[in-house]
Amino acid sequence: MSPRRQLSAARRRQILEAAVAVVCERGLCDTRIADVAERAGTSPALVIYYFDTRDRLLAQALAFSEEQFYEESARDLATIPSAREQLVHLLRQSCATGSYNDLEWRDGWLLWLDLWARAPRDPVVARDRQQLDRRWRETIAGVVRRGQEQGEFGPVDPGDFSLRLAALIDGLAIQVVLGDPEVSPARMFDLCMASAASELGFAWTDEERALPSAARLG
């Protein structure tokens, strides 16, 4: 790779990091390309050159954030031999850490809320949303298949299960972000784990209810 290409890749990363920060602070409706450019220390023209529109910048910012999540998860999962504990780990990362003040977790889901709102109106954003959701469901399904091979999980269809669990996570996360008093972060985690344990046929005890400090999309 030439030095010019390396510089372009580094600049693109700066813009994506700036976009994540600005959109989470202001929301997409109140974010201007100029705001992102100023945070990244570059020009609005360069931001438009890379991303075309604000909506597509949002999609790429979320993809960037998700890629960091998968890289970290892959490293973590490689150190966990049990598929059951791998699933627990993924669910811990998908849930808040026991406080509405967990800003990194909330920011990640705020990006998703903006993306979902725009996907029906922009085919490119819709395509990016589909790819992101497919990757998440395939990650869950892969853990389930591993658990079935190791005799840890019962005979469910991994694809159907991953779709149901991913939808449950998304729905509960929305309620947590909106501040629903009936859906605390801890309850989100427990409901997800109880559902997974029931479908996959493993025990989930009260002693395992404590939430850790990691969060998806951090």
Side-chain angles (χ1 to χ4, degrees):
M1 183 180 290
S2 68
R4 182 180 179 85
R5 289 288 300 277
Q6 289 177 356
L7 178 62
S8 295
R11 176 61 78 183
R12 187 173 187 276
R13 181 184 180 92
Q14 283 183 314
I15 294 170
L16 288 171
E17 289 175 342
V20 169
V22 174
V23 173
C24 289
E25 287 175 5
R26 304 185 182 188
L28 189 66
C29 290
D30 293 327
T31 293
R32 302 172 304 164
I33 292 293
D35 299 325
V36 175
E38 182 179 3
R39 181 70 62 93
T42 188
S43 68
L46 190 62
V47 176
I48 293 172
Y49 169 78
Y50 275 123
F51 303 103
D52 293 330
T53 68
R54 188 180 59 173
D55 285 358
R56 293 172 190 178
L57 174 60
L58 166 69
Q60 290 300 306
L62 182 54
F64 169 75
S65 183
E66 287 282 87
E67 188 60 38
Q68 293 179 307
F69 162 74
Y70 284 115
E71 289 176 0
E72 180 180 348
S73 292
R75 291 192 298 268
D76 293 341
L77 294 181
T79 68
I80 304 172
S82 165
R84 177 189 184 280
E85 294 308 313
Q86 289 180 346
L87 182 63
V88 171
H89 179 76
L90 287 178
L91 286 175
R92 291 189 194 282
Q93 288 185 297
S94 299
C95 297
T97 63
S99 170
Y100 290 114
N101 294 322
D102 188 336
L103 295 179
E104 289 185 354
W105 182 90
R106 185 175 182 273
D107 285 351
W109 283 106
L110 285 173
L111 288 176
W112 272 105
L113 291 176
D114 278 328
L115 186 78
W116 285 330
R118 277 147 184 82
R121 298 175 179 83
D122 188 320
V124 175
V125 175
R127 180 203 63 200
D128 291 342
R129 193 282 312 162
Q130 185 178 31
Q131 291 173 346
L132 289 167
D133 275 332
R134 183 185 299 116
R135 184 175 185 182
W136 175 230
R137 292 194 291 263
E138 288 175 350
T139 298
I140 296 171
V143 172
V144 172
R145 293 188 190 97
R146 194 172 305 116
Q148 290 172 330
E149 292 169 359
Q150 296 173 181
E152 297 181 67
F153 298 152
V156 301
D157 181 278
D160 288 348
F161 170 82
S162 67
L163 180 60
R164 290 190 295 273
L165 183 61
L168 178 63
I169 292 168
D170 289 345
L172 291 172
I174 291 171
Q175 300 307 309
V176 174
V177 170
L178 294 178
D180 189 323
E182 296 186 11
V183 189
S184 68
R187 190 175 187 194
M188 174 186 173
F189 178 73
D190 289 337
L191 288 171
C192 289
M193 283 309 314
S195 178
S198 176
E199 286 207 57
L200 297 175
F202 64 84
W204 180 246
T205 65
D206 288 341
E207 288 74 17
E208 296 174 290
R209 287 175 178 265
L211 288 172
S213 59
R216 185 183 174 198
L217 301 175

